[in-house]
């Protein structure tokens, strides 16, 4: 992954001052677990870095559009991701390194690439869908139920492992209704 360096020399020795960052970051793909999501364009960054005396605090947002595959119907679609940015960078000589996102380099820069990735990765849904009303694929014939209906739902499935339980339930219900 390419580093995303931000020069802090303007605020390096001035506690209380902030630096606004409004840029784009080139990233080819976002990898989450085993899934690869190609980006359709650059990542947009809108953030503020503040010299807090003991460190440099990052707050802001990150946005990107990725190509995704619908988990229900397997169609490709564009998924907009918008995440929060946060982090703390300190100088290498800092007394504490607890909860630190990184260190300020010798030339007064910090690398935000890991923070950008973290802000996007948490926004990727576990099972992306192109539409909440997506009907998915027929488990029997594979037809896209968003495009066409199929007759598979009308045919009883006697090969599934619970078919005999279904027949047992049907006979119990008829016995109860006869009483």
């Amino acid at each position: 992954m390419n580093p995303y360096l931000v020069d802090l020399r303007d605020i390096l020795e001035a506690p209380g001052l902030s630096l606004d960052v409004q840029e784009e970051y080139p990233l080819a793909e976002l990898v989450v677990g085993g899934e690869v999501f190609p980006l359709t364009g650059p990542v947009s960054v809108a953030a503020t870095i503040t010299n807090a005396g003991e460190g440099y605090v990052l707050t802001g947002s990150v946005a990107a559009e990725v190509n995704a595959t619908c988990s229900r119907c397997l169609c490709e679609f564009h998924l907009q991701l918008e995440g929060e940015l946060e982090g703390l960078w300190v100088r290498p000589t800092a007394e504490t390194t607890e909860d630190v996102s990184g260190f300020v380099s010798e030339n007064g820069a910090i690398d935000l690439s890991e923070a950008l990735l973290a802000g996007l990765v948490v926004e990727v849904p576990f099972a992306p869908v192109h539409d909440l009303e997506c009907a998915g694929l027929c488990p029997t014939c594979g037809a896209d139920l968003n495009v066409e209906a199929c007759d598979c739902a009308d045919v009883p499935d006697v090969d599934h492992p619970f078919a005999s339980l279904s027949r047992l339930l049907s006979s119990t219900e008829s016995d109860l209704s006869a009483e």
Side-chain angles (χ1 to χ4, degrees):
M1 183 168 80
N2 298 333
Y4 180 52
L5 300 176
V6 176
D7 185 356
L8 297 183
R9 287 181 289 186
D10 290 344
I11 65 168
L12 202 58
E13 302 297 333
L17 286 185
S18 296
L19 174 69
D20 290 326
V21 178
Q22 300 267 339
E23 296 181 2
E24 291 184 338
Y25 173 67
L27 185 65
E29 61 189 20
L30 184 62
V31 180
V32 181
E35 291 284 325
V36 177
F37 297 90
L39 271 76
T40 62
V43 174
S44 297
V45 179
T48 301
I49 303 169
T50 303
N51 181 336
E54 295 295 319
Y56 304 88
V57 178
L58 168 72
T59 57
S61 62
V62 59
E65 186 176 83
V66 298
N67 287 323
T69 302
C70 180
S71 62
R72 294 181 189 166
C73 70
L74 304 179
C75 76
E76 296 290 322
F77 71 103
H78 296 294
L79 176 63
Q80 184 67 36
L81 303 173
E82 294 180 19
E84 296 295 317
L85 289 177
E86 57 183 28
L88 172 67
W89 283 258
V90 296
R91 294 182 187 207
T93 58
E95 292 180 21
T96 182
T97 57
E98 195 173 312
D99 297 327
V100 170
S101 302
F103 296 96
V104 178
S105 69
E106 291 178 12
N107 61 353
I110 60 173
D111 182 3
L112 299 184
S113 58
E114 293 295 324
L116 297 181
L117 271 180
L120 291 173
V121 166
V122 299
E123 296 301 321
V124 175
F126 178 73
V129 292
H130 75 280
D131 182 0
L132 293 177
E133 301 298 318
C134 178
L137 301 176
C138 172
T140 305
C141 70
D144 184 347
L145 299 175
N146 298 305
V147 177
E148 62 182 311
C150 67
D151 297 328
C152 297
D154 299 334
V155 178
D157 185 6
V158 294
D159 291 337
H160 68 78
F162 298 107
S164 57
L165 289 176
S166 175
R167 287 190 296 274
L168 180 63
L169 181 60
S170 297
S171 66
T172 305
E173 288 176 349
S174 62
D175 291 345
L176 290 174
S177 63
E179 292 178 2

